[in-house]
Amino acid sequence: GERARLTALGALVETAGCRRRILLRHFGESDAPEICGNCDNCLNPPAAVDASVVAQKFLSAVFRTGMMFGVGYIESILLGASTERSLMNGHEKLSVFGIVEGEEAALIKPVARALLLRDALRANAHGGLEFGPAAKAIMKGEESLSLVLPPKRERKGRRGKAGGAANPVGEPLFEALRARRRELAMEAQVPPYVIFHDSVLRDMASEKPGSLDALGRISGIGSRKLEAYGDAFLQVIREAA
Ligand SMILES: [Zn+2]
């Protein structure tokens, strides 16, 4: 349902693959190219961890518990947390009980979100997880699953490395551009960065382009986005002038 879809979109943040490919695949376009060459993950591949083994363990636990439980329960099984429920269900005797430990534990929830996003898992009407069409290849190890490093570390690393400017706090034009981006993102039901990244908005705020041509010269604005969103952002810049 809608909730599962939004949860899955949230997982975009945690995936290391091409964001465009993931989005397109999510909306049913299965023949999207491996790499778009234009999203931030393609342009600047993030440090990723291979979470394929945890993904296999997760899918295995979903399968062995009968494809009727949610993320929380599967996680507790993988971690070997004994509960009345797991005892009653006889799940503590399964080979997957307590199979995840140490650092891998922190990967369970992001892996679950990534599996939903990849359509390897689907949430049924009762919140239980079932296999989707992409489950098999991951189970068999034919497809890998990478996650970017946990958000806190990732953010630090990025800021340090790229020398990325901090967002101008309280700069009215920048805030107005962000507000417009938020509206467009809500309209399209995508995360704001899918519209434009902060860096693009920063450049818009400092360069104040007055035409589509000038706007198109800002790095990170391709022709399709220029066409789709150019006028909306030019209007904000004009109004602020
Ligand atoms: Zn891409």
Side-chain angles (χ1 to χ4, degrees), residues 14-217:
E14 288 158 349
T15 53
C18 171
R19 295 188 197 274
R20 184 176 145 74
R21 173 177 164 83
I22 291 164
L23 257 188
L24 289 176
R25 235 196 329 200
H26 187 70
F27 290 112
E29 222 174 281
S30 55
D31 56 351
E34 193 82 36
I35 282 172
C36 75
N38 203 27
C39 71
D40 66 328
N41 280 352
C42 285
L43 294 171
N44 198 359
V49 288
D50 187 350
S52 303
V53 173
V54 178
Q56 286 169 342
K57 290 174 179 174
F58 195 95
L59 289 171
S60 178
V62 167
F63 182 76
R64 285 171 198 278
T65 53
M67 300 207 205
M68 52 199 287
F69 296 95
V71 174
Y73 184 78
I74 299 296
E75 181 180 39
S76 73
I77 293 296
L78 288 170
L79 293 174
S82 183
T83 61
E84 199 176 334
R85 208 164 158 217
S86 60
L87 207 58
M88 296 271 287
N89 289 328
H91 289 157
E92 300 190 7
K93 288 179 238 135
L94 296 175
S95 60
V96 291
F97 189 75
I99 203 178
V100 172
E101 43 187 13
E103 290 192 339
E104 281 189 350
L107 295 178
I108 295 178
K109 282 202 173 77
V111 158
R113 287 191 289 264
L115 289 170
L116 279 161
L117 182 71
R118 292 258 201 123
D119 215 8
L121 284 176
R122 288 171 173 181
N124 68 26
H126 311 288
L129 298 172
E130 298 172 355
F131 276 13
K136 216 180 192 179
I138 294 171
M139 278 285 266
K140 286 179 162 175
E142 292 166 359
E143 278 231 34
S144 62
L145 190 141
S146 312
L147 298 172
V148 298
L149 292 171
K152 267 182 209 155
R153 250 188 292 164
E154 185 215 356
R155 233 174 267 145
K156 248 191 217 161
R158 255 196 204 167
R159 210 161 277 169
K161 172 175 54 172
N167 288 332
V169 176
E171 211 271 85
L173 178 52
F174 180 72
E175 291 305 328
L177 291 166
R178 284 183 73 173
R180 176 56 54 89
R181 179 180 64 175
R182 204 154 43 231
E183 291 163 14
L184 294 168
M186 277 173 65
E187 202 175 61
Q189 298 202 18
V190 296
Y193 62 73
V194 172
I195 309 282
F196 286 130
H197 283 277
D198 279 354
S199 65
V200 173
L201 299 190
R202 281 198 298 270
D203 289 349
M204 280 188 206
S206 66
E207 292 178 33
K208 303 184 179 61
S211 65
L212 278 177
D213 268 359
L215 186 61
R217 281 194 289 273

